[in-house]
Amino acid sequence: MKGTKIVLVVAMLAMVLASCAPSATPTPVVITQTQVVKETQIVQQTVVAQPTAAPALPAKQVNIVMWQLLSGTMAGVLDEQVAKFNASQSRIKVEIINQGGYDGIQQKMLAALAAGGKDMPHVTMIDYINVPFYAQEGTLVPLDDYFTPEAWKDFIPGLLADLKYQGKTYAVPANRSTQGFYYNKDLFRAVGLDPDKPPTTWDEFREYGKKLSDPSKDQYGTYGFWQRWYFPIMVYGFGGQMNDAEGNCTYDSPEVVAAMTYWQNLKKDGISVIPANLTGAFEVQASEFVAGKIGMMFQSTAILSWIGDTVPFDWGFAMFPAGPAGRFVTHGAANYAVCTGKSPEETQAAIELVDWLSAPTQTAEFHMKTGYMPGRWSAMELPETKAFYETHPFYKIAVEQLEWAHPTSSIEFSVKEWGTYLQNTTLTDIFINDRDPATVLKESCVYINDLVKKYRAEGKMILR
């Protein structure tokens, strides 16, 4: 999962956003939808257009634009899929434009929103954390009526939970990821640990870390905790909550203090190390693990393929350890959404593209080639996917872990400053500056609750 959360410059855009009236939602256009698992058989379901539906696409070609945010191999796979879509029919021509990553596409979306929405693409990839915001602004088409009930059952619920706003769904999964537990089996063997039995609890994790650590060899049990993406997992796993029902910060509770003290002690005891590259790209963050200096690493499932192609040793992948309150996992990354303000013909074309890209065959292909999770259960039941899991079992573990997926909190959705503040101030104070966790977490909640009051007054709090 992408670790970067976008900071929305609300202060600069508040006046502009207030003046941008939401575009009207177009009449639903019913489309052909591939789906549904009935045991191992995939059923094709076709929805018949009603007489009152928007007009069918005209004989002339409809041109639409799609914004994407991927790079490297991932971008190549998506480009190939869009090219296949264009070649599969002559009614729709899709131009795909790379907007330079999550930050780049967010800047473009905000600029288009500030201009009244006229420069929005027809289809955009969008970070899960931003879906409710744009839905709130009337920028995205609600997709509920464009897919059958069977189709919605086929989408993995844990990946849809954060794509809803006021009961409606505004995007479907594209390249979605969750966190995983990578470990060096060769190092496990070297210190007498069973390479096929990774730790399943945080207590076990600490014991394993002790055995794996040898500072004289520049070898450590694990990375430190200085990444904001894992913070909610520890909050929930130790029995805390991110916020209350009104959205007020509550992660200064004794349970969360215990979680942060746990990680602070791992550093003090020489079990974890916090290298400077943790703020870099996923591949940079994983460099010590790839070099064989770190026994256990928490990282996005998005780099499963890259790890497999890169490491020179035997490695494993497992679910996150469970805390006193159980196992929890969060998830993130991008989704496909359709923008408002387009003609009925353009909207229908955009929906057909999203339907095609999110169908089992395409999502399974993307899953197997990149390591990102498939968006639909039926993608896992395809014969080629089942055969792939025989030789790549870690990919299936990543999806199975979604049983413990936790919806994103109100604070994460609504307080756009939260991610940067948590990582650069709260976690830095605890793990870099070695300050008292209880004091730092209390200060953090005071700061965040001031922002909660501000967003609540503006009607911008998205309660979960």
Side-chain angles (χ1 to χ4, degrees):
M1 184 195 276
K2 177 192 74 63
T4 303
K5 295 281 179 81
I6 308 301
V7 178
L8 298 177
V9 190
V10 177
M12 293 195 307
L13 293 176
M15 295 179 62
V16 180
L17 297 181
S19 66
C20 297
S23 303
T25 301
T27 303
V29 182
V30 190
I31 55 173
T32 299
Q33 178 63 43
T34 303
Q35 72 184 335
V36 177
V37 179
K38 288 189 178 179
E39 296 183 357
T40 60
Q41 183 179 10
I42 297 176
V43 180
Q44 298 288 334
Q45 299 214 345
T46 302
V47 183
V48 181
Q50 300 299 316
T52 56
L57 289 174
K60 67 177 182 179
Q61 180 175 277
V62 176
N63 298 313
I64 62 174
V65 173
M66 175 182 177
W67 286 358
Q68 71 107 331
L69 46 69
L70 303 172
S71 61
T73 300
M74 296 172 287
V77 175
L78 181 61
D79 287 345
E80 290 174 0
Q81 290 188 343
V82 171
K84 289 178 184 177
F85 176 80
N86 282 335
S88 70
Q89 43 71 51
S90 59
R91 300 173 300 112
I92 304 168
K93 176 66 178 297
V94 181
E95 178 187 6
I96 188 167
I97 301 174
N98 191 312
Q99 296 291 7
Y102 288 85
D103 288 335
I105 209 166
Q106 173 68 348
Q107 292 167 6
K108 292 283 188 177
M109 289 286 287
L110 286 172
L113 181 60
K118 61 183 178 64
D119 296 326
M120 288 284 182
H122 299 82
V123 176
T124 186
M125 296 186 76
I126 185 170
D127 192 357
Y128 79 104
I129 202 71
N130 295 324
V131 170
F133 168 78
Y134 287 107
Q136 191 178 58
E137 295 298 327
T139 305
L140 305 181
V141 175
L143 301 177
D144 304 81
D145 294 337
Y146 293 101
F147 293 87
T148 65
E150 292 79 11
W152 289 120
K153 291 178 183 178
D154 191 33
F155 284 107
I156 297 174
L159 300 181
L160 284 181
D162 291 337
L163 308 182
K164 298 178 181 291
Y165 176 68
Q166 295 187 341
K168 294 187 177 182
T169 309
Y170 287 86
V172 294
N175 61 303
R176 295 296 297 274
S177 62
T178 185
Q179 305 91 345
F181 174 67
Y182 297 79
Y183 64 102
N184 185 325
K185 288 189 173 184
D186 286 350
L187 283 184
F188 270 46
R189 294 186 183 96
V191 299
L193 293 171
D194 187 335
D196 296 319
K197 293 183 178 180
T200 58
T201 68
W202 290 115
D203 287 340
E204 288 182 353
F205 181 80
R206 178 181 177 83
E207 294 305 313
Y208 279 47
K210 286 181 181 178
K211 294 183 179 181
L212 290 164
S213 297
D214 187 348
S216 68
K217 297 180 181 179
D218 195 23
Q219 177 181 308
Y220 297 89
T222 188
Y223 279 147
F225 186 74
W226 196 44
Q227 293 185 65
R228 52 156 303 282
W229 201 28
Y230 309 120
F231 183 75
I233 294 175
M234 299 303 294
V235 170
Y236 301 129
F238 274 69
Q241 293 295 325
M242 290 290 292
N243 55 255
D244 61 21
E246 286 72 43
N248 300 303
C249 177
T250 58
Y251 60 70
D252 56 351
S253 66
E255 294 86 356
V256 185
V257 172
M260 296 300 99
T261 301
Y262 169 91
W263 277 96
Q264 194 179 63
N265 287 337
L266 288 182
K267 178 192 172 186
K268 291 178 179 178
D269 294 342
I271 295 172
S272 72
V273 63
I274 304 178
N277 63 29
L278 277 179
T279 58
F282 291 147
E283 293 84 352
V284 176
Q285 293 174 12
S287 59
E288 279 89 353
F289 179 77
V290 172
K293 296 180 179 181
I294 300 295
M296 302 177 291
M297 172 183 73
F298 298 104
Q299 257 298 352
S300 170
T301 53
I303 64 170
L304 272 168
S305 178
W306 180 81
I307 288 289
D309 293 339
T310 305
V311 299
F313 51 78
D314 190 14
W315 63 284
F317 178 84
M319 297 183 186
F320 249 76
R327 174 179 281 121
F328 290 87
V329 66
T330 55
H331 44 84
N335 310 272
Y336 299 123
V338 176
C339 296
T340 55
K342 309 301 180 183
S343 70
E345 293 82 8
E346 291 171 326
T347 297
Q348 180 178 353
I351 292 289
E352 289 197 31
L353 173 64
V354 169
D355 172 63
W356 193 88
L357 289 172
S358 64
T361 299
Q362 279 68 248
T363 192
E365 178 187 43
F366 198 89
H367 169 54
M368 291 184 285
K369 288 185 176 180
T370 67
Y372 280 101
M373 293 182 292
R376 303 172 68 149
W377 295 118
S378 56
M380 300 173 65
E381 296 296 333
L382 292 171
E384 55 266 39
T385 311
K386 288 185 173 182
F388 179 79
Y389 287 154
E390 291 296 320
T391 55
H392 299 77
F394 301 149
Y395 285 66
K396 191 174 184 180
I397 292 173
V399 182
E400 291 173 340
Q401 187 177 231
L402 290 176
E403 178 180 345
W404 293 276
H406 196 288
T408 301
S409 68
S410 297
I411 283 178
E412 294 170 89
F413 270 133
S414 305
V415 182
K416 308 308 177 185
E417 299 89 343
W418 175 80
T420 299
Y421 179 81
L422 184 88
Q423 182 152 324
N424 293 347
T425 301
T426 305
L427 298 183
T428 298
D429 277 350
I430 294 173
F431 302 116
I432 304 298
N433 301 328
D434 298 318
R435 292 186 63 206
D436 172 53
T439 301
V440 174
L441 291 171
K442 183 177 181 179
E443 292 172 354
S444 186
C445 273
V446 168
Y447 175 81
I448 295 301
N449 280 334
D450 283 343
L451 291 169
V452 169
K453 292 177 183 177
K454 170 182 175 290
Y455 285 117
R456 185 183 292 124
E458 295 173 353
K460 296 294 184 180
M461 279 301 294
I462 300 167
L463 299 180
R464 308 290 290 182

